[in-house]
Amino acid sequence: MHRIPLYMGSEPRPEASEYITMSEAMCPRNLIECELFLKILRKTTDKVFLDFSEVAEGCLNISKKCMNMKSPTVLKMTLQSLDEIICRAPSASPTCVDAIMARSVLYIKNNQNTTACNDLLYYESLDPALKTAEGTIISQILHCICLFVNREYEASKDKLSVVKGLIDGTLADRSEVSPFLALIEQHEERINQARINVEFCKKVQTENFVPFKGFKLTRKIPFASQACDYSEKSIEKSGGVFASCDVPKGEIVLVENPVYFQFSAPFLNCELCGVHQQQLYTCDNCRYRSYCSKSCMKSDAEVHQYECYGYKIGLIPMLEANMLFRLFCEAGEYILPAIVDYAMDGGILSNPRDAWTFILEHAQEEEKTYNLVGELLATAPDYNLLTREKYTEIVTTAFRLSVFIYNDTRLAEKYFYLLALVKTDLITVMAAILLRLGGHVLLNSQRDNLCYRQREGIDAMNENNDEFENCGILPMPTDRISANVFSYYGVNAITDFVDCYNNVHDSLAEIEPEYPEKFSNDSPIFRFADRLHSICMQKYEIEAVEDLVSADTLPEQEINEILQIFNTSQRCQLLTNIAKYFQQFVYQYFHKIENTVQLKSTLCVTLKAFKQNCGTKNIKAIFLPNGKVVGVTAKKVHKGEELVICPDFARYRDQSRILDLARRGDFNFSTSIENEYENLEKMPSPEFVRHNKAFIAAIKKNLSAWIESRLDVNLQLNLTILYGTYNSFLALHCEEKDETRFLGVLKFSMFLALNGFLQHSTDNIVHFVELTETDDIHFKNIEIYRQSLCVIRCIIEQYINIMVNCPEVDSEYPKMVLVSSSFILKRLQIHAEALIDNEEASSLYMEYCTHHYKWKTVFNSFLTMPPDLKNFLVKSKK
């Protein structure tokens, strides 16, 4: 919708005031067309959601049947179906409630008990009228067991008491819940018995950071230190932030906790706390704005009530006006008291220009307490910094959002009821406010591209050993035991790897259709909307989200030219189709297709006042996990010296984890060049992700053929070259200790071990252990421990099988593998103890401790065996 232009007599002028610009935009044609657009959005949305409600129950029934299947692909699709029902189907229906219960069961089956607890908590908070008595009891039983498994023992005991009360008081027919009653009976004794070990609890340590000499709390740099002064741009010098006194190294000069932020890609993050997770819930009314819990949803309800309908019909998302709308509400709260005071003194504002001037004069008055919206309204943005297209875009957004606010919300009545203005004049004044705020949002927002690693993306290569799970150990030529696989097959590491890479590169279009993103500088939601514009102009019929992705798109210039010549009727027809496909596929697109890239825009007024230059910077800016920005001096700053921030910001790698926040001691930065970017977060580039997917698909395809015919030498050779090329690719794009690179090597090592190249596989494992021990690396990803131990198991069990037949095998290699196993198990033990609620880590540790003891016993028995007995065993085998 942001692409459909307004009719303007002349091109908007950035140097004109906001009121003049919006007065020129206000004409009957634009107003009528915008109101028609709103009517289309309302009508189309109602129809799409009616269709959702009709098909949701059938989808749920199919999902319940698929839950009992063992295919990972089917289970993944089942989870995606349940996610969509939970987020998009009508919330006040038994279907949505049952979907939440079904998803929690699916998580429990997958040993994700903590995640299941979230669903069960949410289920308990829903309207009792939508739940059956049996469903309530089942949810309480499952929640009780999940709490126990998560080592929340006291909560589990309390929940057990609730369960027993429900069973005794409300349950007449027990046939439907009898399996669950048997389940709680099995756990009851263990839940009630005394526990010696400490129960698990999460505690987040926080520290309130205060800048050097306290906060400035003045306009331009309110969240900077008192040791900072802001200087306006003049002929003599450029504007910026300067030190008013000497500031030692390591002192905090900026602490900004942004209140206003927005995510572009929907259904990936909690819109209130920002956490990224797959398991999200949406507002009961709009079914669009996402939250991680009922608690966040309730906390946001008071503000969200005004924007809710805009989300539902898709207007606010299409215009990407989340932050702008909330700033407008805050502006209304800021302006209203001044209008009331003026009216109490007998003043009447009946002229829209006078009303606009009054608002600006009120904002420009210096106040005792700092007010963000007051500052934004008092200061005109420098629109000349924007491109012509961007300026026209924010003018269009301001006008259409103003019409929506007047027609579909009560904000105009709430904040501007004392203005004696007719409809068109009030819309013009509100649009002028929105334009000024929109300019500040665009110019003063910190835009962060966030990349999330999904299993279907980078880590798809690193799933469990499903492809090797049923591969038993076959007899292999003994000359492979000590051979290097590349030498054995005569692989040329230059020509063969280059040819392999070129073949994988050529297959990109088949593996992941690379549709041309004509508007790559735009945000994810804008790219999605632009794709819909292009598809609907060409009148494609879209039946599934895959059709939407594979469809050809038009060049940007051609789209703009078509929109310019479209009349109102054609625009309305175009918007009808866009709105239909938007509501039908927005969830699937961002949940299945573009679910690894997020754009977060954060309004950072103080941060943006600092000059940013890596060459002369003396301030290091850190983004903490809670979104707060802390600026610390990287060296001593002298009085009068300008404070400059490096535009590459140091940030914590995983902002979704619960972490202890950084302490002041962590801000003692080195100024040496080699440490310049040591702590910067390194995100994979889109090109790396695409090529990684292509490699993964090629390996899986070749593995499928190899599993059918494992003794085929040509297939073994092809996979050897492919694995070698892939690991060379990772070596070029990932650091030596990167988890993705480790997992690629471990997968290759498993292939080597299964094909009899035991010493080559052992060398890889030993090198892996040397790196982890030398640099004391503790992996967050439990899959690395699993993969390494699986490879070790495959190697050792083959050594055990051949050590009698091949006594000439060097015994040093089995010993090295055993030692490697002990080192990995030690690190896994630390991992399991640190994450006491990680059932998977604990189970893995216990399993392989048992294996390690068995292997050690077998090898010790054989190595200490008398020579005569060894010879006897060798002869008896023959």
Side-chain angles (χ1 to χ4, degrees):
M1 190 172 176
H2 66 287
R3 287 281 170 196
I4 304 177
L6 295 172
Y7 290 102
M8 302 285 284
S10 60
E11 193 171 288
R13 295 171 290 119
E15 61 275 7
S17 74
E18 291 86 355
Y19 174 77
I20 296 297
T21 300
M22 300 319 300
S23 295
E24 293 173 352
M26 173 54 73
C27 65
R29 185 174 186 177
N30 281 336
L31 179 61
I32 292 171
E33 186 176 88
C34 188
E35 290 180 335
L36 283 172
F37 286 173
L38 291 173
K39 185 176 181 180
I40 288 169
L41 291 178
R42 289 192 290 266
K43 184 177 179 181
T44 306
T45 299
D46 290 343
K47 185 177 186 308
V48 171
F49 275 96
L50 180 62
D51 292 340
F52 277 153
S53 63
E54 291 175 353
V55 302
E57 186 175 357
C59 292
L60 176 62
N61 291 333
I62 294 172
S63 297
K64 286 181 176 179
K65 293 177 181 178
C66 293
M67 285 173 61
N68 296 321
M69 298 183 182
K70 294 183 178 180
S71 168
T73 304
V74 172
L75 291 175
K76 178 181 175 182
M77 293 174 65
T78 301
L79 182 60
Q80 289 175 342
S81 176
L82 292 173
D83 288 342
E84 186 168 12
I85 294 170
I86 292 167
C87 287
R88 297 292 279 169
S91 60
S93 67
T95 302
C96 182
V97 175
D98 290 347
I100 296 173
M101 171 68 79
R103 187 171 70 174
S104 70
V105 172
L106 199 58
Y107 282 130
I108 291 171
K109 286 183 175 181
N110 200 35
N111 292 322
Q112 295 177 270
N113 296 292
T114 303
T115 309
C117 271
N118 295 336
D119 268 346
L120 294 167
L121 272 173
Y122 194 87
Y123 183 90
E124 290 176 14
S125 68
L126 298 175
D127 186 355
L130 299 173
K131 298 180 285 189
T132 63
E134 291 78 10
T136 301
I137 290 175
I138 291 171
S139 71
Q140 295 284 351
I141 290 173
L142 294 177
H143 195 186
C144 176
I145 294 171
C146 285
L147 289 170
F148 173 75
V149 173
N150 291 339
R151 304 192 183 187
E152 299 182 44
Y153 299 126
E154 291 301 322
S156 178
K157 288 180 183 179
D158 294 340
K159 185 63 66 175
L160 180 61
S161 301
V162 173
V163 169
K164 294 180 74 66
L166 286 172
I167 294 173
D168 296 336
T170 62
L171 195 60
D173 182 9
R174 303 193 176 193
S175 58
E176 187 175 342
V177 298
S178 56
F180 298 94
L181 295 177
L183 187 64
I184 196 65
E185 287 175 3
Q186 294 173 13
H187 285 79
E188 184 174 356
E189 183 178 352
R190 285 186 288 168
I191 292 172
N192 282 323
Q193 73 182 29
R195 293 279 164 184
I196 299 174
N197 46 331
V198 180
E199 80 168 69
F200 171 73
C201 63
K202 292 180 180 178
K203 183 179 180 180
V204 180
Q205 298 179 3
T206 60
E207 180 174 343
N208 293 322
F209 298 108
V210 179
F212 181 62
K213 293 183 178 290
F215 284 100
K216 189 78 172 175
L217 293 180
T218 59
R219 287 183 172 177
K220 295 294 184 184
I221 52 170
F223 306 114
S225 163
Q226 286 279 4
C228 301
D229 284 331
Y230 181 80
S231 177
E232 295 284 355
K233 184 178 180 180
S234 63
I235 299 175
E236 292 79 17
K237 63 177 182 178
S238 60
V241 181
F242 296 84
S244 59
C245 64
D246 289 349
V247 183
K249 175 185 174 182
E251 289 292 346
I252 297 175
V253 292
L254 164 68
V255 181
E256 186 163 10
N257 189 14
V259 177
Y260 297 100
F261 63 87
Q262 67 183 20
F263 294 101
S264 177
F267 313 114
L268 297 182
N269 299 78
C270 176
E271 302 276 7
L272 187 67
C273 69
V275 66
H276 165 67
Q277 63 184 40
Q278 182 180 4
Q279 180 195 41
L280 292 169
Y281 312 93
T282 53
C283 165
D284 291 339
N285 295 318
C286 70
R287 309 302 282 149
Y288 191 97
R289 190 167 170 89
S290 306
Y291 303 95
C292 63
S293 63
K294 198 71 170 181
S295 174
C296 277
M297 189 181 294
K298 288 181 178 179
S299 299
D300 197 43
E302 184 177 354
V303 179
H304 178 61
Q305 62 178 318
Y306 301 111
E307 66 190 5
C308 185
Y309 193 65
Y311 272 100
K312 181 174 182 178
I313 64 176
L315 177 77
I316 290 178
M318 284 190 199
L319 296 177
E320 201 168 9
N322 324 36
M323 190 159 34
L324 178 57
F325 190 95
R326 294 202 165 199
L327 278 169
F328 178 82
C329 293
E330 191 66 28
E333 295 286 350
Y334 175 77
I335 296 167
L336 179 59
I339 297 177
V340 171
D341 290 344
Y342 186 75
M344 293 289 288
D345 293 337
I348 299 176
L349 293 170
S350 57
N351 182 286
R353 185 186 291 272
D354 293 341
W356 173 245
T357 303
F358 174 83
I359 291 170
L360 295 186
E361 289 176 349
H362 168 62
Q364 287 162 0
E365 294 175 359
E366 194 69 35
E367 301 181 18
K368 293 181 180 179
T369 57
Y370 170 76
N371 188 288
L372 173 62
V373 172
E375 179 187 338
L376 299 181
L377 290 175
T379 310
D382 187 357
Y383 296 110
N384 290 309
L385 296 175
L386 302 175
T387 63
R388 177 177 60 84
E389 293 77 15
K390 274 297 176 186
Y391 181 67
T392 303
E393 185 180 292
I394 63 172
V395 170
T396 303
T397 297
F399 183 83
R400 293 203 167 120
L401 196 58
S402 180
V403 175
F404 166 75
I405 289 171
Y406 186 90
N407 284 281
D408 292 274
T409 74
R410 300 186 61 186
L411 293 178
E413 297 175 14
K414 180 178 181 180
Y415 297 127
F416 304 106
Y417 66 95
L418 290 175
L419 298 181
L421 301 176
V422 298
K423 174 181 177 179
T424 53
D425 289 342
L426 183 53
I427 289 175
T428 301
V429 172
M430 291 193 300
I433 295 171
L434 286 163
L435 178 55
R436 176 160 288 199
L437 295 174
H440 283 299
V441 166
L442 203 56
L443 292 170
N444 291 323
S445 288
Q446 174 67 33
R447 292 162 68 89
D448 297 310
N449 288 301
L450 309 176
C451 295
Y452 303 128
R453 297 187 174 189
Q454 303 290 341
R455 282 195 178 275
E456 59 269 27
I458 293 175
D459 287 343
M461 181 70 186
N462 310 322
E463 295 173 353
N464 294 341
N465 291 292
D466 294 334
E467 64 268 47
F468 297 124
E469 189 174 9
N470 298 319
C471 295
I473 298 173
L474 298 180
M476 292 293 173
T478 55
D479 59 341
R480 293 187 179 188
I481 295 173
S482 59
N484 178 287
V485 67
F486 300 116
S487 301
Y488 184 86
Y489 288 118
V491 175
N492 186 314
I494 298 177
T495 58
D496 289 339
F497 284 9
V498 170
D499 290 342
C500 180
Y501 177 84
N502 289 335
N503 291 334
V504 171
H505 179 78
D506 293 340
S507 71
L508 279 172
E510 300 175 13
I511 304 306
E512 179 187 305
E514 183 188 3
Y515 53 84
E517 287 297 352
K518 302 302 181 183
F519 318 116
S520 57
N521 291 328
D522 282 327
S523 61
I525 192 69
F526 273 11
R527 291 199 296 270
F528 175 64
D530 287 335
R531 175 160 282 274
L532 292 179
H533 279 74
S534 180
I535 286 170
C536 293
M537 283 179 179
Q538 299 175 82
K539 298 182 180 179
Y540 284 124
E541 288 295 326
I542 305 298
E543 300 293 335
V545 69
E546 289 76 15
D547 300 334
L548 190 151
V549 173
S550 60
D552 294 329
T553 57
L554 300 173
E556 177 184 2
Q557 186 61 34
E558 187 175 346
I559 291 176
N560 291 336
E561 289 173 357
I562 293 172
L563 289 171
Q564 286 288 351
I565 63 175
F566 267 14
N567 59 32
T568 299
S569 175
Q570 290 171 313
R571 290 182 173 196
C572 288
Q573 183 58 49
L574 176 68
L575 184 62
T576 300
N577 293 327
I578 290 173
K580 172 187 171 184
Y581 291 140
F582 181 90
Q583 296 288 10
Q584 280 184 345
F585 299 115
V586 64
Y587 183 85
Q588 294 180 32
Y589 182 83
F590 287 102
H591 198 62
K592 296 180 181 179
I593 310 299
E594 196 167 342
N595 59 356
T596 60
V597 180
Q598 178 65 278
L599 176 66
K600 182 181 180 181
S601 299
T602 308
L603 189 60
C604 300
V605 179
T606 304
L607 178 65
K608 286 293 182 177
F610 286 77
K611 183 183 290 185
Q612 298 182 13
N613 188 325
C614 254
T616 59
K617 59 96 179 172
N618 48 26
I619 305 297
K620 184 81 78 170
I622 306 168
F623 275 67
L624 299 180
N626 60 356
K628 188 178 293 184
V629 185
V630 178
V632 186
T633 52
K635 61 183 179 180
K636 183 177 181 179
V637 180
H638 299 282
K639 181 178 179 179
E641 185 179 349
E642 185 172 11
L643 301 174
V644 183
I645 291 177
C646 178
D648 293 314
F649 299 102
R651 57 180 83 244
Y652 288 87
R653 292 183 66 87
D654 186 357
Q655 296 194 25
S656 297
R657 292 187 301 133
I658 294 180
L659 296 173
D660 291 343
L661 298 187
R663 300 277 175 181
R664 187 180 298 268
D666 298 328
F667 301 147
N668 188 19
F669 298 111
S670 169
T671 56
S672 59
I673 300 298
E674 59 269 22
N675 292 329
E676 182 80 23
Y677 300 104
E678 184 178 7
N679 294 320
L680 296 182
E681 181 181 19
K682 293 178 174 59
M683 290 297 186
S685 67
E687 279 302 303
F688 172 79
V689 173
R690 291 179 61 246
H691 280 82
N692 193 71
K693 285 183 178 180
F695 269 112
I696 291 166
I699 289 172
K700 286 185 174 180
K701 180 179 178 181
N702 281 269
L703 274 175
S704 299
W706 171 76
I707 289 172
E708 294 297 322
S709 182
R710 287 179 53 190
L711 298 179
D712 189 320
V713 177
N714 289 326
L715 292 176
Q716 295 172 6
L717 171 61
N718 292 338
L719 268 169
T720 297
I721 295 173
L722 192 52
Y723 271 121
T725 308
Y726 178 60
N727 280 284
S728 299
F729 166 78
L730 292 179
L732 287 172
H733 293 84
C734 303
E735 293 182 352
E736 187 177 31
K737 298 151 194 146
D738 188 278
E739 292 189 1
T740 304
R741 187 170 167 183
F742 276 139
L743 285 163
V745 171
L746 291 171
K747 189 70 78 170
F748 181 33
S749 300
M750 174 62 80
F751 173 76
L752 291 175
L754 286 171
N755 283 279
F757 297 96
L758 301 185
Q759 290 189 11
H760 191 163
S761 184
T762 301
D763 289 337
N764 289 346
I765 289 294
V766 170
H767 181 63
F768 164 77
V769 171
E770 285 176 349
L771 283 174
T772 56
E773 289 298 316
T774 302
D775 295 311
D776 195 26
I777 300 173
H778 293 273
F779 301 105
K780 292 180 298 210
N781 188 355
I782 188 68
E783 195 56 37
I784 294 181
Y785 296 105
R786 184 187 305 281
Q787 293 273 8
S788 59
L789 290 169
C790 285
V791 175
I792 287 172
R793 180 177 181 178
C794 184
I795 294 171
I796 289 183
E797 289 183 353
Q798 288 199 70
Y799 272 127
I800 291 173
N801 287 340
I802 65 174
M803 64 185 182
V804 174
N805 292 334
C806 304
E808 69 277 6
V809 171
D810 188 354
S811 62
E812 289 302 314
Y813 274 90
K815 290 179 184 177
M816 286 193 292
V817 179
L818 269 179
V819 172
S820 300
S821 173
S822 65
F823 279 123
I824 294 172
L825 285 170
K826 180 182 177 182
R827 292 196 170 273
L828 180 58
Q829 181 185 14
I830 296 172
H831 183 100
E833 290 173 351
L835 301 174
I836 196 169
D837 64 329
N838 194 324
E839 181 184 1
E840 185 181 11
S842 301
S843 175
L844 186 66
Y845 174 71
M846 295 301 295
E847 176 187 354
Y848 276 92
C849 276
T850 305
H851 285 307
H852 180 77
Y853 179 79
K854 178 183 70 175
W855 301 330
K856 190 174 179 180
T857 303
V858 171
F859 275 114
N860 284 341
S861 300
F862 183 76
L863 293 174
T864 58
M865 190 181 297
D868 292 341
L869 181 56
K870 280 187 185 179
N871 294 331
F872 172 77
L873 291 173
V874 170
K875 291 178 181 178
S876 63
K877 288 281 288 185
K878 293 178 181 179

